[in-house]
Amino acid sequence: MTLSGILAEDLFDLKSVTDPQLSPDGTYVAFVETSIDKEDEEYISNLFVHHFPTNQTTQWTFGSHRHSSPRWSPNGESLAFLSNRTGKNQLYVLQLAGGEANKLTDLENGASTPIWSPDSKSILFSTAIKSGKTLHEKIEKPKKEKKAAKIYDRIKYKADGKGYLEDTFSQLVIIDVKTGDTKQLTKGDQHYSPSSWSPDGNQIAYTGNDSADRDYQLVDDVFILDIESEKTEKITPSTGFFNDPKWSPDGTWISIIGHEREYQGATLSKIWLYNTTDQSFVCLTSEWDVQVGDVSAADFHIGTVDPGLLWTNDSQGFYFLISDHGNVSVYYGSVDGAMYPSLNGQQHVYGLTINPETHEAVLAISTPVQPGDLYTYNLSTGELAQLTFINDELLKTRSLSEAEPISFPSSDGREIHGWMMKPADFDPEKRYPLVLEIHGGPHAMYANTYFHEFQTLTAQGYTILFTNPRGSHGYGQEFVQGCVGDYGGMDYQDLMAAVDYAVNTYDFLDEQQLAVTGGSYGGFMTNWIVGHTNRFKAAVTQRCISNWLSFYGVSDIGYYFTEWEIEGDIFESPEKLWHHSPLKYAANVQTPLLLLHGELDFRCPIEQSEQFFTALKRQKKEAVLVSFPGETHEVSRSGSPRLRLQHTEQIRDWFKKYL
């Protein structure tokens, strides 16, 4: 049988498996399977449970809805989850013994982040509540909505994926599973996120920003709330971003992930410990030049969950993920500060759950030729075995392109790391066009993971070159801050060095047939590249940035992101913002450019593409703008299936036209 490469429309047949959760005794693992309903062209997510003793997997939820966040009760008898079957996500509970799901909440703004109490009697969660109201106050809506002006007096008045913000704030609530009684724990015009319960069930840890000047004092702190007295204590110093507070099983420690914003948004996240006995707060990994957590850039999985730190029962250590040199790996850390690899390899671990007593785990793993499956893994012995085979039937008929790692010197001698993917039907006697792909962020990391866009292009006969230029995570603190204040400088040189290395090393490449594409920061860099060189025959800029002066005022993060990343603002250094704006160099562009943008993108608003498009068309240059109605900055990753498919097809067809 002749195998074909991955087709863009295979998106409708591929399934995603995410968020594995082991039961307390390790007998079961629950997970989420997401697919696309071809008729309705909508995502469907259902919960599945695998029983290890019988090696049987059973579907626990059904229907054409989204079910997510499966969480076992500590006694192992129940599984809480979220479902949008009635509209907004509400909280449900299923019994291990069987029966229908019990709907616990019916809240106007839904529920999120369910966390069981240690005694399995209550669940902590969050819900949005209107300013000045409480959980139980009903807001009367007029029978007929009348149009009214909306008034904003905060600089944070919109957010990508949420739109223009209503006057509501995320608050913490506890619900009694048996009676349905609720207790609102927090209030005020601040957002709070739940994280964990103390082992005795008397306190909860949560995160938020309680600063009166919170739009400008950009921090996240950790708080401890005593449930009975309702007294709150802040345990972090309001110096940066701290999250994921979790008690050790013996209650001695609270582990935290975060940083003190030493390099603003380019700072590596580290591991901290708070001692509940003497209230000391120390960083365990201050000398470890590694990013804690999963920061890989990918376009396939929806609903992945970074597990944070997972304590072992002896309270002496924890497991967690790190992002390093294009891989996402599992590490073990001790309370003494020693860090040990538990699972390394050329792969992307995008999900992790452990049995804290036996050190057995279930991992979600993806590679460039494996969209993703669950694996059992013994963290002590290193035994790895595949548990699910979610896409095997389709993949048997497809030829996927491997990602070959490469490294090369940039113009200043700095070593840069990346990958090459040959065409799916590669013939060494032929010559092929090359597509340079550039990730967003910029503080993210291309990884050894499945990328649907890449595979669809290799199936069309393109070679894919993707790299981690300076500014990327995975190569230490100096490297990740290497593009700050220098967008379009050495990061541009790194990318051009990658192209030079590829065409000089691989004789099957046609150096006259080069293309470039990227999204977000990658869109900025695509715009920058076509304004500074004509060596590319085609370019596609996705959800781009073209003008830092306007981005400062129209992006939901513009005012601080621009100051952090470009090191300038519209008041004191507009010339610097303009110097780093691709729009300044639009007169130089000769490369045919396709601009793709979601119409509801509030992170990099569509006006960024519109400005660049207009500048090019005013000069009668080859440019096409494609907008995606209703889509946000996530259009190519979690956008509606039909438009997500069209997004990929637009890229494919543009390159086909010019290469």
Side-chain angles (χ1 to χ4, degrees):
M1 179 177 64
T2 302
L3 303 181
S4 71
I6 287 287
L7 306 176
E9 54 267 31
D10 285 339
L11 178 69
F12 281 75
D13 293 304
L14 288 167
K15 299 176 182 178
S16 168
V17 56
T18 58
D19 200 9
Q21 297 289 326
L22 276 170
S23 62
D25 64 358
T27 303
Y28 298 89
V29 63
F31 58 92
V32 181
E33 180 185 303
T34 300
S35 58
I36 295 174
D37 185 312
K38 291 184 179 181
E39 184 175 340
D40 294 334
E41 296 187 350
E42 297 290 346
Y43 296 108
I44 300 172
S45 297
N46 278 303
L47 306 185
F48 289 73
V49 175
H50 181 84
H51 185 227
F52 289 104
T54 61
N55 198 31
Q56 296 295 314
T57 301
T58 307
Q59 185 171 344
W60 275 30
T61 64
F62 299 87
S64 56
H65 305 291
R66 300 292 298 274
H67 303 88
S68 61
S69 303
R71 297 295 182 266
W72 293 100
S73 60
N75 63 15
E77 297 177 359
S78 306
L79 186 70
F81 64 96
L82 301 175
S83 173
N84 70 348
R85 62 181 70 176
T86 60
K88 297 282 182 71
N89 268 340
Q90 302 292 348
L91 182 58
Y92 292 75
V93 171
L94 274 165
Q95 299 300 317
L96 184 61
E100 293 294 320
N102 178 29
K103 185 181 181 183
L104 292 185
T105 64
D106 188 17
L107 300 169
E108 179 182 11
N109 294 311
S112 63
T113 323
I115 303 170
W116 284 93
S117 62
D119 62 7
S120 300
K121 294 181 179 180
S122 303
I123 297 176
L124 169 69
F125 66 94
S126 64
T127 187
I129 299 175
K130 191 170 181 62
S131 176
K133 300 292 183 179
T134 65
L135 181 67
H136 301 292
E137 287 185 74
K138 297 294 184 181
I139 301 174
E140 295 295 331
K141 292 185 176 180
K143 292 182 179 180
K144 184 177 180 180
E145 291 284 349
K146 296 181 179 180
K147 290 185 177 180
K150 293 185 177 181
I151 300 172
Y152 303 98
D153 61 0
R154 295 179 53 195
I155 194 169
K156 288 187 177 182
Y157 64 94
K158 63 181 180 180
D160 188 59
K162 296 181 179 179
Y164 289 91
L165 298 176
E166 300 293 334
D167 195 19
T168 60
F169 299 89
S170 179
Q171 306 294 350
L172 308 186
V173 177
I174 291 176
I175 188 167
D176 186 294
V177 175
K178 185 176 181 179
T179 66
D181 294 337
T182 56
K183 179 179 181 179
Q184 183 178 334
L185 301 177
T186 59
K187 59 184 179 180
D189 292 353
Q190 296 93 12
H191 294 285
Y192 297 114
S193 300
S195 188
S196 64
W197 295 72
S198 61
D200 60 12
N202 294 329
Q203 298 174 300
I204 64 164
Y206 64 96
T207 59
N209 181 354
D210 68 345
S211 170
D213 204 21
R214 62 188 178 280
D215 285 356
Y216 306 94
Q217 184 71 14
L218 299 175
V219 298
D220 276 322
D221 277 307
V222 173
F223 301 84
I224 304 300
L225 183 147
D226 184 275
I227 296 173
E228 184 175 348
S229 68
E230 299 186 2
K231 291 183 178 179
T232 296
E233 177 189 6
K234 185 192 300 184
I235 65 170
T236 50
S238 300
T239 52
F241 298 119
F242 298 100
N243 58 75
D244 190 48
K246 290 176 183 170
W247 266 276
S248 61
D250 66 3
T252 301
W253 309 99
I254 297 177
S255 62
I256 297 169
I257 296 175
H259 61 74
E260 295 192 281
R261 258 183 55 189
E262 297 95 325
Y263 307 98
Q264 304 292 25
T267 312
L268 296 182
S269 292
K270 297 187 177 296
I271 297 173
W272 303 70
L273 281 185
Y274 175 82
N275 189 313
T276 60
T277 303
D278 62 15
Q279 288 75 54
S280 60
F281 183 56
V282 297
C283 181
L284 284 186
T285 58
S286 59
E287 303 302 317
W288 198 28
D289 203 18
V290 168
Q291 169 70 13
V292 174
D294 177 7
V295 292
S296 57
D299 71 345
F300 180 65
H301 291 290
I302 299 174
T304 57
V305 177
D306 192 314
L309 303 184
L310 302 176
W311 282 94
T312 56
N313 271 357
D314 60 6
S315 297
Q316 294 303 299
F318 37 78
Y319 291 95
F320 58 97
L321 302 180
I322 69 161
S323 297
D324 185 40
H325 285 75
N327 300 305
V328 180
S329 304
V330 182
Y331 264 65
Y332 171 81
S334 75
V335 295
D336 297 324
M339 303 291 148
Y340 306 97
S342 293
L343 179 66
N344 275 330
Q346 305 297 305
Q347 58 199 5
H348 171 204
V349 180
Y350 65 92
L352 169 67
T353 178
I354 70 165
N355 183 322
E357 181 62 37
T358 65
H359 294 238
E360 293 175 309
V362 174
L363 314 174
I365 299 177
S366 176
T367 71
V369 295
Q370 164 57 284
D373 267 306
L374 299 185
Y375 295 75
T376 59
Y377 185 66
N378 189 305
L379 293 157
S380 299
T381 67
E383 297 177 36
L384 181 70
Q386 190 166 346
L387 181 63
T388 65
F389 301 83
I390 203 78
N391 291 303
D392 272 21
E393 286 304 310
L394 174 64
L395 296 181
K396 287 177 182 177
T397 67
R398 297 290 184 264
S399 174
L400 277 71
S401 179
E402 296 276 1
E404 174 191 341
I406 58 174
S407 61
F408 50 90
S410 188
S411 59
D412 63 351
R414 183 68 184 258
E415 185 178 20
I416 306 298
H417 173 228
W419 297 262
M420 291 276 291
M421 296 173 67
K422 296 175 182 176
D425 59 351
F426 178 72
D427 181 346
E429 300 301 318
K430 294 182 178 180
R431 302 189 76 195
Y432 296 94
L434 176 71
V435 176
L436 172 66
E437 291 268 5
I438 310 169
H439 67 64
H443 310 308
M445 178 186 78
Y446 272 145
N448 279 298
T449 193
Y450 178 80
F451 218 107
H452 192 67
E453 180 183 312
F454 296 0
Q455 291 291 351
T456 61
L457 290 176
T458 62
Q460 300 298 314
Y462 302 109
T463 300
I464 302 299
L465 169 63
F466 60 109
T467 73
N468 284 323
R470 68 195 73 192
S472 304
H473 268 305
Y475 307 88
Q477 182 61 70
E478 179 187 357
F479 195 85
V480 76
Q481 71 197 66
C483 70
V484 173
D486 188 41
Y487 275 41
M490 287 308 303
D491 49 357
Y492 168 70
Q493 294 295 329
D494 294 345
L495 292 164
M496 293 303 97
V499 176
D500 291 340
Y501 171 83
V503 298
N504 292 330
T505 303
Y506 299 93
D507 56 11
F508 61 83
L509 292 178
D510 184 349
E511 63 179 309
Q512 300 302 315
Q513 296 292 310
L514 305 179
V516 59
T517 185
S520 197
Y521 164 81
F524 156 82
M525 185 52 72
T526 298
N527 293 345
W528 184 269
I529 285 172
V530 297
H532 286 78
T533 178
N534 295 324
R535 70 188 301 186
F536 295 91
K537 299 303 180 185
V540 179
T541 184
Q542 309 172 40
R543 55 191 186 279
C544 70
I545 297 171
S546 67
N547 182 355
W548 290 107
L549 286 161
S550 63
F551 180 86
Y552 189 96
V554 297
S555 168
D556 63 345
I557 62 172
Y559 67 101
Y560 66 86
F561 186 86
T562 306
E563 293 172 7
W564 289 0
E565 294 293 317
I566 307 302
E567 295 186 330
D569 61 37
I570 59 174
F571 310 104
E572 302 296 330
S573 47
E575 297 84 3
K576 182 169 177 56
L577 301 192
W578 184 237
H579 171 74
H580 290 283
S581 296
L583 189 62
K584 177 181 178 180
Y585 310 97
N588 302 333
V589 177
Q590 300 298 325
T591 307
L593 181 67
L594 175 67
L595 303 97
L596 307 178
H597 223 119
E599 292 182 3
L600 296 184
D601 187 340
F602 286 0
R603 182 60 39 85
C604 298
I606 193 172
E607 61 89 30
Q608 293 288 306
S609 279
E610 291 170 339
Q611 289 189 65
F612 209 60
F613 172 72
T614 300
L616 296 178
K617 298 304 287 186
R618 185 65 184 87
Q619 301 173 79
K620 298 184 177 181
K621 295 185 176 182
E622 186 63 27
V624 172
L625 173 64
V626 179
S627 68
F628 295 86
E631 294 299 330
T632 70
H633 198 60
E634 299 301 307
V635 57
S636 66
R637 295 175 286 216
S638 60
S640 65
R642 174 55 53 184
L643 293 182
R644 194 173 160 199
L645 172 62
Q646 291 178 12
H647 193 277
T648 303
E649 291 174 332
Q650 287 286 339
I651 299 170
R652 178 198 66 193
D653 295 345
W654 187 259
F655 290 156
K656 184 178 180 180
K657 180 178 180 180
Y658 290 99
L659 296 180

